[in-house]
Amino acid sequence: MSLKFDMQFDPAYGEAVEIAPDILRVTVNNANAFTGFGTNSYIIGKDQLGIIDPGPEDEAHFETLLRTIAGRPVSHIFVSHTHRDHSPLAARLKRETGATIVAQGPHQSARPLFDGESNALDASVDSDFTPDICAKDGEIFSNTDWSVEVIHTPGHMANHACFALPERGILFSADHVMAWATTIVAPPDGSMSAYMQSLEKLLNRKDVLYFPGHGAPIATPHRFLRGLKTHRKMRERAVLERVMQGDETIAQMVAAIYRDTDPRLHGAAGLSVFAHLEDLVSRGLVLTEGDPMPDSLYRPA
């Protein structure tokens, strides 16, 4: 199953774009190599609203959201995970609207740091975030306009969740599934094995349209999910083959596997290779001395 990315997207910064009946998208002007065109916030409902992924502390974005809300009641603010491009504005919006903040939970890593290990993405984490409700997997929140189901999808982060409008077959897939790029899975915050299990979980659902945290909608989500699954399996095989060929370090593997990729993205590629190696070590397919870490030496089992 081939994986085709969709790079066609108009962020319309500073505007609320209607993407479906009673669903508006507002995109933050925070575009970079990790956020693509910027973070998508979604406003659902007509008379009683909900906000999905309010975004970073950005004054222009905050003003656009308030202008779009236009004084209507907001019952809930849903936060998919605690990266700083998704969650920080929740607290300010809560103070302004009185809405209840719902998420899987505060920041948590997929595993503790190993001795001597540091977190390369620690600065990107919103460790101050605290939801009003730590939602259970499958829990449903409703008002007079909509019902939202919470789906735990760890992998990108341990506390990642997607949100669905089950009666409409719509899933807000946040950073778990995006049309423009593959998801960064970087230990210790992320876990490749958890990510693959979460892909399978979504494949078993019947949603027919995805609205991601960055970039364009995904109109054929099951086809795209199968492509993502195949892509990850191919990347795993490439990492294992480099180890079998004698590459010992992540830098050597990245140079070979990502030789046609912009060198500025090699740091992110190294995090992905590390996630695959951690998974391969846990399954006994690759060996290393002690705990697997970014600077470890790896060898065939």
Side-chain angles (χ1 to χ4, degrees), residues 81-100:
H81 63 294
T82 45
H83 274 146
R84 288 190 176 276
D85 59 320
H86 287 262
S87 58
L89 201 58
R92 191 175 175 191
L93 277 174
K94 173 183 171 63
R95 291 194 296 270
E96 187 71 28
T97 65
T100 298

Side-chain angles (χ1 to χ4, degrees), residues 20 25 39 96 138 210 219 224 253 274:
R25 183 188 65 224
T39 304
E96 187 71 28
Y210 284 10
F224 196 78
M253 297 176 209
F274 176 42

Side-chain angles (χ1 to χ4, degrees), residues 166-186:
E167 295 178 357
R168 298 179 62 177
I170 291 173
L171 183 94
F172 298 90
S173 57
D175 283 10
H176 187 62
V177 182
M178 301 176 291
W180 75 284
T182 56
T183 299
I184 293 176
V185 180

